[in-house]
Amino acid sequence: MSLEILSPVAGRTVPMSEVPDQVFAQAMVGPGIAVQPSGGRADAVSPVDGTVVTLHPHAFVVSTADGRGVLVHLGIDTVQQKGEGFTLHVVKGESVRAGQPLISWDPDAVTAAGYSAVVPVVALDAQAEALSSLSTGAEVTEGDALFTWND
């Protein structure tokens, strides 16, 4: 069954290979695409319907009913910010709907603190050929389709 993955943030899509972190750039945890966010405080939304199985102020994983996990990482090395500037709207184990706000954050503040604000969106443990409709250089808003994850 095909699963549409929505953009968690507004911005411009960039290839995962341009993410300044080798774990993401080399697809070590799975393939996907990244979004260079637009500026200003905003909500990061769930990319799929599912359950929040991992939740940190700077990152989350939502697992779908059929067990596919989507990782969203808000910026690179933002774990160093220890949650400052991030506001959680859900708890681990909570059921969420695609497009539901999960975390508020400010990409401009992340950049001002010296970190990359790019947002990798990863299909955990997927094969690269299982993803389709990835388009880099596209302007997206939160909730727009980013790519399709096929079985």
Side-chain angles (χ1 to χ4, degrees):
M1 187 168 89
S2 294
L3 177 65
E4 189 170 63
I5 309 300
L6 305 183
S7 182
V9 298
R12 183 178 48 82
T13 58
V14 296
M16 198 68 91
S17 61
E18 293 183 10
V19 173
D21 182 312
Q22 292 306 304
V23 170
F24 296 112
Q26 295 182 10
M28 291 180 188
V29 292
I33 196 165
V35 180
Q36 184 63 51
S38 308
R41 191 152 184 87
D43 289 330
V45 304
S46 180
V48 292
D49 291 341
T51 302
V52 178
V53 294
T54 301
L55 181 65
H56 301 283
H58 64 281
F60 57 87
V61 175
V62 177
S63 181
T64 64
D66 67 358
R68 290 185 271 189
V70 179
L71 166 66
V72 175
H73 204 281
L74 302 173
I76 302 302
D77 293 331
T78 45
V79 66
Q80 304 297 327
Q81 294 186 285
K82 301 183 185 331
E84 186 175 333
F86 297 85
T87 304
L88 303 178
H89 301 296
V90 294
V91 295
K92 183 177 176 182
E94 188 169 334
S95 294
V96 296
R97 304 291 297 179
Q100 179 179 336
L102 303 185
I103 299 174
S104 294
W105 72 309
D106 186 342
D108 290 340
V110 168
T111 301
Y115 302 103
S116 169
V118 72
V119 177
V121 181
V122 179
L124 290 174
D125 300 321
Q127 298 298 312
E129 55 273 9
L131 305 187
S132 62
S133 304
L134 292 99
S135 177
T136 58
E139 295 294 327
V140 295
T141 62
E142 64 275 7
D144 283 354
L146 267 187
F147 59 87
T148 302
W149 186 348
N150 304 297
D151 278 344

